[in-house]
Amino acid sequence: MSASETRLVGRDGAPVMDVDGDLLEVSMGPHHPSTHGVFRMDLALDGEKIVKLKPVFGYLHRNHEKLGEEHSYLASMPYTDRLDYICSLTNNWAYALAVEKLAGQEVPERAEYLRVILGELTRVQNHILSVGFLLQDMGASGTPLMYGFREREKILDLFESLTGSRMMCNYMRFGGCRVDASPAWLDGARAVVAALPAAVDELEALVCTNEILMARTQGVGVLPAELAINAGISGPVLRASGVNYDVRKVDHYGIYDRFDFKVPLGDHGDVYDRFMIRLLELRQSLRILEQALKDIPGGPVMDPKAKLRNFRPKAGEAYGRIEAPKGELGFYLISDGGPNPYRYRVRPPTLVNLTVLEDMCLGHNVADVVLILGSIDIVLGEVDR
């Protein structure tokens, strides 16, 4: 297509860049090794410069929401594991929270502590893996990614010993948690958390002052705060643009109001800030874990009044949301009094965060596209559902 046939404008209708000559159309994906799943980007290039980008997804669509309306409330819990399959426990938590709001279900205090512990361990392993993959996308050797996998293995071992599964944990229940954590498990979790700061220091020393990393990431893929807010962006991508919004602080769901932690913010909203925010959030998660593992009380992990079989919440609607590792994860449920939800809707953070991909890529070289995509940290199981 010729430049004269293409009007390149921004969201406000104003021209965003000048184009010299003809444009080259390139389809990147759906099996490009750096696109984090079956995802495609249709690019229009002026030389090496991105002048248009269209994200194309749907290759992994599994009809998750319709299945949620065909199954009982409890039967949908294992399906939530398959959304962000890196973070099954936070998926469980968001869904359990929505159902508990719908049914007015209470949660025992020990179960609330266990949810925080498992949720923050999930955030740690997600962020440390995300940093490793971003560096891999940049062309770094496998060393940073292997550092991430090394630490993630220790956390997955904890998940497996508690829930019986490393990734598809199916652990949360409406009114608490499926099984209790033994004293030995809690001691093992404390040992893992105590060793993690040294591992994060090691990773930071390896990469954070690397000249190539800074040259490839600083000033690249800038997301202005105003656009991030207007587009509904959440999670580390939003906070890297300097917007102080964290659902843990805003809603105080669970027992997050009991813990002392900060919300790190970026200054520029570029790839480097999104990279650093995850490292800083990782350290704050360790602060929360130290407090939760120290203060966890005794008691039951399931409300004795909880009803899992023949569960029929009264007619109504509820929206439960959490600060998942990748952003705001929410479940919207409508009950008509039957055994299945009348309406089951997921608010996936990475799908929403992908909507500004073109805005972040315009004007950059094609080699920067994979980096910018990697800095969003997407999982196609959640994007497509």
Side-chain angles (χ1 to χ4, degrees):
M1 79 185 150
S2 67
S4 61
E5 296 171 342
T6 306
R7 177 175 169 78
L8 300 171
V9 297
R11 290 173 182 260
D12 57 359
V16 294
M17 69 180 63
D18 296 323
V19 176
D20 299 323
D22 293 340
L23 300 182
L24 175 66
E25 294 182 338
V26 175
S27 181
M28 184 181 288
H31 296 294
H32 190 284
S34 296
T35 55
H36 302 267
V38 279
F39 174 67
R40 191 175 98 226
M41 292 178 285
D42 289 341
L43 313 176
L45 307 178
D46 178 23
E48 288 285 318
K49 186 193 301 182
I50 303 293
V51 296
K52 194 174 182 181
L53 185 148
K54 178 184 177 182
V56 182
F57 32 78
Y59 297 97
L60 201 62
H61 180 60
R62 303 175 316 289
N63 214 23
H64 178 97
E65 292 176 355
K66 189 62 178 176
L67 286 172
E69 295 166 8
E70 299 292 333
H71 291 75
S72 69
Y73 287 88
L74 181 59
S76 290
M77 183 63 78
Y79 286 99
T80 66
D81 290 344
R82 276 79 177 169
L83 290 169
D84 180 354
Y85 37 77
I86 305 296
C87 306
S88 69
L89 286 162
T90 46
N91 301 340
N92 290 175
W93 193 359
Y95 177 56
L97 190 64
V99 177
E100 286 158 2
K101 283 188 175 183
L102 190 64
Q105 178 67 61
E106 298 293 328
V107 179
E109 190 169 353
R110 182 174 175 86
E112 293 281 23
Y113 271 87
L114 281 173
R115 287 180 174 188
V116 168
I117 290 167
L118 293 168
E120 294 307 317
L121 283 172
T122 298
R123 196 180 316 277
V124 168
Q125 60 97 14
N126 177 87
H127 283 3
I128 204 165
L129 203 60
S130 172
V131 167
F133 275 121
L134 182 62
L135 291 158
Q136 181 98 332
D137 293 345
M138 196 180 304
S141 67
T143 302
L145 182 58
M146 290 301 105
Y147 278 31
F149 272 119
R150 180 191 65 189
E151 302 310 318
R152 180 173 179 257
E153 282 298 301
K154 300 171 186 176
I155 295 174
L156 293 189
D157 285 345
L158 288 173
F159 291 170
E160 183 179 19
S161 63
L162 177 62
T163 72
S165 176
R166 296 168 63 79
M167 293 181 67
M168 306 294 116
C169 297
N170 183 24
Y171 178 70
M172 309 290 180
R173 291 293 183 267
F174 319 134
C177 301
R178 178 160 52 86
V179 294
D180 197 0
S182 68
W185 188 91
L186 291 171
D187 288 341
R190 293 184 185 105
V192 169
V193 170
L196 274 168
V200 178
D201 290 342
E202 184 181 35
L203 182 60
E204 281 197 35
L206 178 69
V207 300
C208 285
T209 57
N210 184 283
E211 293 181 8
I212 298 175
L213 181 142
M214 291 189 287
R216 291 292 311 278
T217 59
Q218 291 182 343
V220 174
V222 174
L223 176 62
E226 183 179 3
L227 174 57
I229 294 169
N230 291 340
I233 307 306
S234 61
V237 179
L238 176 67
R239 292 187 286 274
S241 296
V243 181
N244 189 356
Y245 190 86
D246 187 311
V247 180
R248 293 173 295 177
K249 291 284 191 180
V250 174
D251 285 3
H252 296 299
Y253 64 90
I255 51 171
Y256 273 109
D257 56 340
R258 303 186 188 183
F259 303 113
D260 177 30
F261 68 100
K262 296 179 180 179
V263 178
L265 302 176
D267 294 322
H268 310 289
D270 55 11
V271 172
Y272 187 78
D273 276 3
R274 291 191 283 276
F275 162 80
M276 286 301 301
I277 282 293
R278 290 185 173 93
L279 283 176
L280 295 172
E281 287 193 358
L282 197 157
R283 293 189 182 278
Q284 294 303 314
S285 290
L286 294 178
R287 284 181 63 184
I288 296 171
L289 283 164
E290 289 171 359
Q291 297 169 69
L293 287 165
K294 177 183 176 182
D295 298 337
I296 183 170
V301 295
M302 275 295 294
D303 184 349
K305 298 179 182 178
K307 187 177 181 180
L308 298 180
R309 294 189 178 184
N310 300 318
F311 179 72
R312 293 170 178 261
K314 64 182 181 180
E317 60 182 336
Y319 178 67
R321 64 174 187 166
I322 68 166
E323 184 65 37
K326 295 175 174 67
E328 180 186 329
L329 172 63
F331 287 81
Y332 174 64
L333 302 172
I334 298 178
S335 169
D336 60 1
N340 308 338
Y342 171 77
R343 183 71 175 98
Y344 176 109
R345 175 79 170 88
V346 183
R347 192 273 185 199
T350 52
L351 173 64
V352 179
N353 290 352
L354 266 178
T355 61
V356 292
L357 179 61
E358 181 182 44
D359 299 88
M360 292 192 286
C361 290
L362 289 177
H364 290 295
N365 290 336
V366 67
D368 296 324
V369 171
V370 172
L371 267 185
I372 296 169
L373 174 65
S375 72
I376 299 176
D377 187 17
I378 68 170
V379 165
L380 265 296
E382 182 181 84
V383 171
D384 287 343
R385 303 183 308 290

